[in-house]
Amino acid sequence: AKTEAKTEVKTEAKAEKRQVVNPWEVEADESIDYEKLIRDFGSTPIDDELLKKMEQVTGKPVHHWLRRKLFFSHREFNQILSCVEKKEKFYLYTGRGPSSEALHLGHLIPFMFTKYLQETFNVPLMIQLTDDEKFLFKEKLTLEEAHRLAFENAKDIIAIGFDPKNTFIFSDLDYIHHLYPVALNIQKAVTYSTVRGIFGFEHSDNIGKSSFPAIQAAPSFPQSFPETYGDNKKVRCLIPCAIDQDPYFRMTRDVAPKIGCLKPALIHSKFFPALQGSKTKMASSNENSAIFVTDTAKQIKNKITKFAFSGGRVDLEEQRMFGANVDVDVSIQYLQVFLEDDAQLEQITQDYRSGKMTTSQVKNILVEVLQKLVAKHQEARAKITDEQVKLFMTPRKLE
């Protein structure tokens, strides 16, 4: 049976609306209700005051993904800004579960944003590749294949442009000797009933699933990286991630004081919707729901043309008369992420909403934006050598 977390959000109101959000499943009858997620998960919305504070502290304008609320929620990000003001150390931690040969655009977003954070704050970055998790949770995936995919995914991550002097990428299988002492302390401090309550594990689940959350929690604490931090337990950590990963880190934040560590801070992104619409997120398991970084220009055009859910009208006459519903239109949602020019985005949105532009015109703009993005990534990835990957994945002191 598929594991479902108790922390999933299930809503059955008058209209029988339902949404499920957990580390393994994201689905809704309608679009994901992020305000409800904030209420149910107990996080804090990112407001204009926090963004103004960030600009004051860094002396730089905030990323357009923050302004456009793609990153919308946090846990104690204000504490990280206080660290910057006081010139106290902190580090970034994010990760990837290597279950497919190539990343899709939804996978790129947290890493692209993490790169922005690293460059803005000039801090070390730790990237966890959870090959162990994917082996435990994917029935048909072998351990050897999960480990190989971690190495391949590392190339896509490096291609985003991270600085090797300040970035450490590690496979759990390779780095477990450093993680395990920290994970053991976490496991001893968390009861089975707590883990089962958070993640919804069932009696038929393998025991590895119950032990894994401590492995994902361990990099939140600096003693997991002795080459950089020694046995120092008092360095803060900031974790950029999608909101579905929050259950792991609620557990982590609860256990932190019990093992003498500081609670990690988090900054949450919304989901990058599937081509079919915002009822679910883009997924590697459905090739036609996603734009992959390995897709050709022709494949990108075909996928957007055929599968991108449209808020436009049924024919040109109606479109000119009534305009599009831009709130449900996937092409507009993707442009909100990848079109940086605010004025151009606003003009396209207005023209489409008013009926001045058609669905095909908007899709053609999106196709051009995504083709350039993916081509640039492919060019960068082609230059990544095995030696470069080994450099990033070698435990060492970061600057």
Side-chain angles (χ1 to χ4, degrees):
K2 190 164 187 176
T3 305
E4 282 195 358
K6 274 191 180 178
T7 51
E8 70 186 24
V9 180
K10 286 188 178 180
T11 308
E12 298 201 19
K14 295 175 184 176
E16 294 296 314
K17 296 175 185 176
R18 175 182 177 272
Q19 66 180 21
V20 178
V21 175
N22 63 51
W24 306 281
E25 187 178 4
V26 175
E27 195 172 0
D29 289 341
E30 296 184 1
S31 58
I32 300 294
D33 184 342
Y34 289 103
E35 290 184 4
K36 178 166 175 53
L37 275 182
I38 286 175
R39 292 195 302 272
D40 288 359
F41 282 5
S43 60
T44 305
I46 294 175
D47 57 19
D48 291 340
E49 186 178 341
L50 187 66
L51 297 184
K52 185 178 179 181
K53 173 79 169 176
M54 185 176 178
E55 288 188 335
Q56 289 173 344
V57 167
T58 63
K60 302 173 184 177
V62 297
H63 197 287
H64 65 281
W65 289 350
L66 285 165
R67 285 190 287 102
R68 295 176 187 175
K69 306 299 183 187
L70 177 63
F71 283 80
F72 72 106
S73 163
H74 74 103
R75 294 185 186 276
E76 293 191 324
F77 182 57
N78 53 307
Q79 294 286 345
I80 296 297
L81 296 180
S82 295
C83 282
V84 178
E85 285 184 307
K86 297 173 186 175
K87 296 185 171 17
E88 294 175 353
K89 291 181 179 179
F90 74 94
Y91 68 96
L92 294 163
Y93 157 45
T94 193
R96 155 87 180 133
S99 60
S100 60
E101 195 78 36
L103 277 61
H104 57 59
L105 296 185
H107 295 139
L108 280 190
I109 288 169
F111 289 111
M112 292 169 72
F113 186 72
T114 299
K115 180 173 181 282
Y116 153 76
L117 292 174
Q118 186 186 38
E119 291 174 346
T120 298
F121 295 118
N122 190 27
V123 292
L125 164 63
M126 315 301 183
I127 299 176
Q128 181 184 44
L129 299 174
T130 56
D131 38 15
D132 52 344
E133 176 212 12
K134 291 305 176 183
F135 170 68
L136 291 167
F137 284 83
K138 296 278 186 181
E139 196 64 38
K140 295 180 181 179
L141 186 65
T142 66
L143 196 56
E144 294 75 17
E145 179 65 0
H147 194 221
R148 185 190 71 80
L149 289 173
F151 194 83
E152 289 302 312
N153 285 185
K155 293 179 181 178
D156 276 314
I157 293 168
I158 293 166
I160 292 166
F162 292 107
D163 182 355
K165 296 192 298 294
N166 234 6
T167 307
F168 174 45
I169 302 174
F170 60 96
S171 144
D172 283 347
L173 286 176
D174 293 337
Y175 195 66
I176 192 64
H177 59 293
H178 282 315
L179 297 178
Y180 196 51
V182 184
L184 277 175
N185 279 291
I186 295 167
Q187 288 169 347
K188 192 172 183 178
V190 180
T191 65
Y192 176 66
S193 63
T194 297
V195 170
R196 192 177 176 193
I198 293 171
F199 298 101
F201 296 133
E202 299 175 353
H203 293 297
S204 58
D205 286 319
N206 65 64
I207 59 173
K209 291 182 180 181
S210 297
S211 64
F212 173 74
I215 304 297
Q216 182 157 323
S220 307
F221 305 123
Q223 63 269 38
S224 292
F225 308 103
E227 288 84 358
T228 299
Y229 296 113
D231 59 359
N232 187 354
K233 292 185 176 183
K234 299 302 180 183
V235 180
R236 286 198 180 273
C237 172
L238 172 61
I239 305 169
C241 63
I243 188 73
D244 60 338
Q245 295 300 302
D246 189 71
Y248 281 111
F249 299 113
R250 289 207 302 280
M251 182 203 78
T252 306
R253 285 170 54 81
D254 286 345
V255 82
K258 299 176 185 176
I259 63 172
C261 294
L262 299 173
K263 293 182 179 184
L266 285 92
I267 186 163
H268 301 123
S269 73
K270 295 178 180 177
F271 305 114
F272 194 61
L275 287 166
Q276 288 75 14
S278 53
K279 293 180 182 180
T280 186
K281 66 176 181 177
M282 190 173 277
S284 299
S285 55
N286 182 355
E287 188 174 324
N288 290 328
S289 79
I291 303 293
F292 290 89
V293 295
T294 50
D295 283 348
T296 65
K298 184 178 179 181
Q299 285 174 316
I300 292 169
K301 183 179 175 75
N302 287 343
K303 285 182 178 181
I304 297 298
T305 303
K306 291 180 181 178
F307 301 116
F309 185 81
S310 171
R313 302 294 173 172
V314 293
D315 57 39
L316 183 59
E317 184 180 355
E318 282 201 13
Q319 176 63 18
R320 296 296 190 210
M321 188 178 299
F322 301 112
N325 180 355
V326 296
D327 295 330
V328 300
D329 191 272
V330 164
S331 296
I332 291 293
Q333 290 171 5
Y334 284 19
L335 287 171
Q336 288 170 345
V337 175
F338 292 116
L339 186 62
E340 292 188 30
D341 188 317
D342 288 337
Q344 187 183 2
L345 176 65
E346 180 62 27
Q347 191 65 57
I348 291 168
T349 305
Q350 284 183 3
D351 288 350
Y352 192 31
R353 183 189 285 118
S354 70
K356 187 176 179 180
M357 288 185 74
T358 64
T359 297
S360 61
Q361 288 175 315
V362 175
K363 285 189 174 185
N364 286 339
I365 294 170
L366 175 63
V367 166
E368 186 177 344
V369 169
L370 295 186
Q371 285 174 339
K372 286 180 181 177
L373 174 75
V374 172
K376 182 181 177 183
H377 182 86
Q378 289 172 354
E379 183 181 353
R381 195 203 193 273
K383 296 175 182 176
I384 305 299
T385 65
D386 288 353
E387 287 68 30
Q388 284 176 287
V389 177
K390 287 173 184 174
L391 170 62
F392 274 92
M393 299 187 77
T394 298
R396 65 206 184 281
K397 182 177 175 60
L398 300 184
E399 294 182 5

